[in-house]
Amino acid sequence: MGSMTIPYRILVADWSADRDKLRALRETVFVQEQKVPVELEWDEEDARCIHVMAETQDGKVIGTGRLLQDGHIGRMAVLQAWRRSGVGSALIVRLMELAKQAGHAVARLHAQSYVAEFYRRHGFAAEGEEFMEAGIAHSYMSRVL
């Protein structure tokens, strides 16, 4: 992307309207890139979650995440070309705002261990032992909102 930054915005997605775009992004990041079995990627929670998405001005979805009804944040994904450009930070900040608005005192997530430092920078602390999920090492992390 060089020195020119393409602007993007963070939106609360409408799962019924935006589902195909969000699924395509998650398939790219989790299923193709990280080799998560496709049957582990999709669950019935999606329809009940609040989803956020990062979208460029021309409508391309470049990042997403979701907030479950119990205050868990999950399925954080940013397209490879956009990593380390602030998109993930903008998504996690918005998800924490939404969690707080929904009345949650604590935000929780299962962080892939290699990005645990990203969540630490946003105030999350690891709890307990590392564990495996979809063949990838994760840590339980939480922060008070």
Side-chain angles (χ1 to χ4, degrees):
M1 287 185 329
S3 58
M4 192 188 86
T5 310
I6 302 167
Y8 60 87
R9 57 197 182 139
I10 306 296
L11 306 167
V12 174
D14 173 343
W15 179 248
S16 55
D18 299 318
R19 173 173 43 206
D20 291 347
K21 291 191 277 191
L22 299 181
R23 285 180 70 110
L25 175 83
R26 281 164 48 183
E27 293 248 346
T28 298
V29 173
F30 295 125
V31 179
Q32 293 168 25
E33 189 183 322
Q34 297 184 352
K35 310 292 184 238
V36 171
V38 72
E39 62 275 10
L40 292 181
E41 179 52 34
W42 307 118
D43 61 27
E44 68 291 343
E45 291 295 336
D46 273 322
R48 298 194 286 267
C49 288
I50 298 172
H51 297 263
V52 294
M53 64 182 182
E55 185 182 77
T56 59
Q57 281 182 321
D58 60 2
K60 181 177 168 65
V61 176
I62 56 171
T64 188
R66 73 181 191 180
L67 175 66
L68 281 83
Q69 290 173 323
D70 65 0
H72 268 80
I73 289 170
R75 301 301 200 273
M76 285 274 299
V78 175
L79 286 182
Q80 203 160 16
W82 286 85
R83 289 180 202 150
R84 309 203 184 288
S85 67
V87 174
S89 291
L91 288 166
I92 194 75
V93 165
R94 189 75 182 100
L95 284 162
M96 288 189 295
E97 286 168 1
L98 290 163
K100 196 169 184 173
Q101 284 168 18
H104 298 291
V106 178
R108 293 184 169 81
L109 50 81
H110 296 172
Q112 292 186 7
S113 296
Y114 82 99
V115 289
E117 185 53 42
F118 164 82
Y119 293 107
R120 269 190 214 100
R121 289 199 304 271
H122 288 281
F124 285 81
E127 304 167 1
E129 298 296 308
E130 220 177 42
F131 64 98
M132 298 302 283
E133 196 169 78
I136 299 167
H138 283 69
S139 299
Y140 292 106
M141 299 187 85
S142 67
R143 73 158 275 178
V144 174
L145 295 170

